[in-house]
């Protein structure tokens, strides 16, 4: 560096000099996208006295991405414009900085192509260094884990109890008054509370076997000792069956069959209203009466839904290139070995055969 060059310098270290000075170079403003989809934003600078405005910067923000602004005239107010692929442009810029300390916008109002409203929340966080982070977030976020398509609506009622439902913004649907809907709560300007509604099945059954299976879920009334089939289906490997509605006062049983094994001896208990121990395995029989045991694993999410996984306690991967057969081997006190073919194989094996 030649003499006279400008530099960002930490204080020179001298013997006995213990004070450290820090120079921090950072953006004066950051805008973060906390929406689950990409958005386009523009930051405007407005001269309060001359009532004029000019675009400072703009960009496309992916979910959780941040836009940085490094230079701004502190005598100007800053406005924020946002648009999304499904909604469109805001009605008017949101105020995110004012030189005279005027109240900042807590939300921004967007309109879709049909004139339906969507309100996005704005959150402000100022660091100890003075830079500001503005976060754009949805006041209400719906997580659809149901596996089916849903539509959303705002529901309002008058003094006579008549309910009117209006489709939420960004959906290419029309809804007549009185239609049934999965409704998100209506967003209002200034609404800054973040709430999450999760729509999900109460029970999921996953097939972790290497072949397809047929399953049935039974509901058993503990008091009346009666049972009825709730749902059934064919599950491919790693496929999941969803159950959306169940009476919590009834116990649930699970029946499984495979092309090579057949039906279980009795249903496995996968839910009990009184908290009885659940089945850890299920016992199947093939056409020759040979037994196969399948494992059951339970996982409950923080939302309360249960996933039951059907898995093989032992899985053999045959990479030999030749056909194999499998057997259970037992020996008595004299050392005599008896081999019994494993279930699902159309073979007979004599005692003492090599396997």
């Amino acid at each position: 560096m030649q003499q006279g060059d400008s530099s960002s310098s930490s204080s020179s270290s001298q013997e006995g000099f213990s004070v450290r000075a820090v120079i921090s170079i950072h953006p004066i403003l950051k805008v973060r996208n906390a929406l689950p989809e990409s958005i386009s934003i523009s930051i405007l600078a407005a001269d309060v006295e001359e009532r004029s405005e000019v675009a400072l910067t703009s960009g496309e923000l992916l979910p959780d991405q941040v836009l940085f602004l490094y230079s701004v005239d502190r005598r100007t107010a800053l406005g924020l414009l946002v648009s999304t692929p499904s909604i469109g442009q805001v009605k008017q810029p949101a105020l995110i900085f004012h030189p005279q300390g005027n109240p900042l916008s807590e939300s921004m109002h967007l309109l879709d192509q049909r004139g339906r409203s969507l309100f996005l929340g704005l959150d402000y966080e100022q660091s100890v260094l003075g830079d500001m982070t503005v976060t754009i977030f949805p006041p209400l976020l719906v997580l659809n884990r149901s596996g089916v398509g849903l539509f959303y609506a705002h529901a309002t009622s008058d003094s006579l109890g008549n309910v009117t439902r209006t489709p939420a913004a960004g959906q290419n649907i029309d809804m007549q008054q009185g239609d049934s809907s999965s409704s998100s709560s209506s967003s209002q300007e200034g609404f800054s509370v973040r709430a999450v509604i999760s729509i999900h099945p109460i029970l999921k059954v996953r097939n972790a076997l290497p072949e397809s299976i047929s399953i049935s879920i039974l509901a058993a009334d503990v008091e009346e000792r009666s049972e009825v089939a709730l749902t059934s289906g064919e599950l491919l490997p790693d496929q999941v069956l969803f159950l959306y509605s169940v009476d919590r006062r009834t116990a649930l049983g699970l029946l499984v069959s495979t092309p090579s094994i057949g039906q279980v001896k009795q249903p496995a208990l996968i839910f009990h209203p009184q908290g009885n121990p659940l089945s850890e395995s299920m016992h199947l029989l093939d056409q020759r009466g040979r037994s196969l045991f399948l494992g059951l694993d339970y996982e409950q999410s923080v939302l309360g839904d249960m996933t039951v996984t059907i898995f093989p306690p032992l899985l053999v991967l045959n990479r030999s290139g030749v056909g194999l057969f499998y057997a259970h081997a037992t020996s008595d006190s004299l050392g005599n070995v008896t081999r019994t073919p494993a279930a699902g194989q159309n073979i007979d094996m004599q005692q003492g055969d090599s396997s």
Side-chain angles (χ1 to χ4, degrees), residues 2-246:
Q2 300 298 322
Q3 185 174 357
D5 284 353
S6 173
S7 66
S8 298
S9 169
S10 60
S11 61
S12 59
S13 300
Q14 300 177 0
E15 190 172 356
F17 184 69
S18 59
V19 178
R20 302 183 183 182
V22 177
I23 297 175
S24 176
I25 302 172
H26 57 272
I28 195 169
L29 180 72
K30 293 182 282 187
V31 179
R32 186 171 74 90
N33 175 24
L35 301 175
E37 66 175 335
S38 300
I39 59 174
S40 299
I41 75 166
S42 295
I43 300 177
L44 310 177
D47 191 299
V48 179
E49 297 178 357
E50 298 184 3
R51 297 183 180 275
S52 61
E53 64 183 28
V54 62
L56 288 181
T57 186
S58 60
E60 187 87 9
L61 291 186
L62 299 175
D64 209 39
Q65 195 174 6
V66 180
L67 180 138
F68 300 94
L69 183 64
Y70 291 94
S71 177
V72 66
D73 187 342
R74 286 287 189 176
R75 296 168 297 178
T76 62
L78 297 182
L80 177 65
L81 288 174
V82 172
S83 64
T84 75
S86 59
I87 300 296
Q89 192 77 22
V90 295
K91 290 186 65 176
Q92 63 181 17
L95 181 64
I96 59 173
F97 173 77
H98 197 279
Q100 300 170 6
N102 288 21
L104 305 181
S105 301
E106 295 181 357
S107 64
M108 52 198 329
H109 186 185
L110 287 78
L111 293 176
D112 69 3
Q113 296 177 349
R114 301 191 178 201
R116 298 166 181 160
S117 295
L118 173 70
F119 291 90
L120 298 178
L122 295 175
D123 181 68
Y124 302 88
E125 182 181 356
Q126 190 166 21
S127 76
V128 294
L129 301 174
D131 57 291
M132 178 76 77
T133 300
V134 182
T135 301
I136 306 165
F137 67 91
L140 180 66
L141 181 63
V142 178
L143 304 177
N144 179 15
R145 297 172 175 169
S146 65
V148 296
L150 301 178
F151 64 90
Y152 308 95
H154 304 287
T156 56
S157 61
D158 57 23
S159 58
L160 299 177
N162 299 316
V163 178
T164 301
R165 294 178 175 87
T166 306
Q171 301 177 104
N172 190 25
I173 60 171
D174 289 307
M175 185 188 298
Q176 300 299 323
Q177 182 172 352
D179 284 352
S180 175
S181 66
S182 297
S183 173
S184 61
S185 64
S186 57
S187 300
Q188 299 175 357
E189 192 166 358
F191 181 66
S192 60
V193 177
R194 305 182 188 188
V196 177
I197 296 177
S198 177
I199 301 171
H200 56 274
I202 195 169
L203 180 71
K204 294 182 283 187
V205 179
R206 186 171 74 90
N207 175 23
L209 301 176
E211 66 175 339
S212 299
I213 60 174
S214 298
I215 76 166
S216 294
I217 299 176
L218 310 176
D221 191 299
V222 179
E223 297 178 356
E224 298 183 1
R225 298 184 178 274
S226 61
E227 63 182 29
V228 61
L230 289 181
T231 186
S232 60
E234 187 88 8
L235 292 185
L236 299 175
D238 209 40
Q239 195 174 4
V240 179
L241 180 139
F242 301 94
L243 182 65
Y244 294 96
S245 178
V246 65

Side-chain angles (χ1 to χ4, degrees), residues 330-338 351:
T330 58
S331 61
D332 57 22
S333 58
L334 300 177
N336 299 315
V337 178
T338 302
Q351 184 172 351

